[in-house]
Structure formats: structure tokens, C-alpha cells
Amino acid sequence: FIQSGLNIAMGDAFAAMIPHVHGYVLHLVIIVAITLCSQIFSSIGTAAAMLPVLAAAAQEAVVNPLSLMLPAAIATSFTFLLPTATPPNVVVLAKSQELPRPLRIRDFFLSGLPLTLVACVVGAALTYIMGNVVFDAQSPFPQW
């Protein structure tokens, strides 16, 4: 991903959107995208793939990388929809096969959808507000 330069290409495309979008909407877009990726891939794999893209986007748009990477890091924990998203969900699905009515993927999806939607909206609001208060994420680009 990094060796091929794909992170820079994707980061450049994402960086073009940054100046035209409000901060809360940007956090919401990042959180929804990362949450959807985390449902299919592992949280660690999603973070390893997407954080370099967001770092490249921040560098291209000349914004603090923390303002893009903080919501992404938080969103990797919003894995409530599918049993493949986290190992505990897989264990529950496997053990439910011994029940008279085993759990299905549909059961996970229907119970996890409201929780995921609320987590995305509240997570975007909290990372936007608390990221500024605690980490000063809207500060100018760091002088590293």
C-alpha cells in the first residue's frame, strides 16, 4: 500500500475534498467509511491500511494529521454489524449453533445496525468537539 504509492494517490483525492467540507461532516464521512471497512476487514487491518491514506491527505491539504486520524482510529472500534468484525462475535456465533435456534448473520446485523448508526453520529460529534478541546486537532499543520 505504501510501497506502491497508493496511499498518496488516495490521500490526494481525499485532500481535495477537505477545504470544501465542514469539520463535523468530514469526521462523519471518515467514521462511516472506516466503520464500514472494519465490518469486513479486521480493525487492525483497516487502521494499517487507512491511517497512511489519511496522513497523506493531511499532508497534501496542509491540515493537522490528528484531525483526520483521530476519528479513523476511534471508528475502528465500531464493529457491531457482522460476526466477522471481532473475534468475540465469532465465538458467540459459533457457540449459538448449539442452541435450539442458532443465531444468524441477520440477527447480528439487525441488532447492531442501530448501535452502529448511533456510534457513528455520536462518535463524529465527540471527535470533532473533544479533538479540538483535548488535542487541539484544528491547530495549524505541525512543524515536524
Side-chain angles (χ1 to χ4, degrees), residues 124-141:
L126 286 176
T127 57
Y128 179 69
I129 294 167
M130 297 305 289
N132 294 333
V133 172
V134 175
F135 299 111
D136 197 22
Q138 297 299 323
S139 66
F141 193 75

Side-chain angles (χ1 to χ4, degrees), residues 101-143:
R101 183 184 167 267
L103 292 173
R104 299 171 297 183
I105 293 176
R106 182 182 340 162
D107 298 327
F108 280 88
F109 184 81
L110 292 176
S111 62
L113 184 61
L115 185 58
T116 300
L117 293 175
V118 168
C120 286
V121 171
V122 171
L126 286 176
T127 57
Y128 179 69
I129 294 167
M130 297 305 289
N132 294 333
V133 172
V134 175
F135 299 111
D136 197 22
Q138 297 299 323
S139 66
F141 193 75
Q143 294 285 329

Side-chain angles (χ1 to χ4, degrees), residues 4-27:
S4 68
L6 185 60
N7 66 327
I8 295 172
M10 288 177 65
D12 290 347
F14 189 72
M17 179 182 76
I18 292 173
H20 306 292
V21 178
H22 186 269
Y24 174 75
V25 175
L26 184 64
H27 281 225

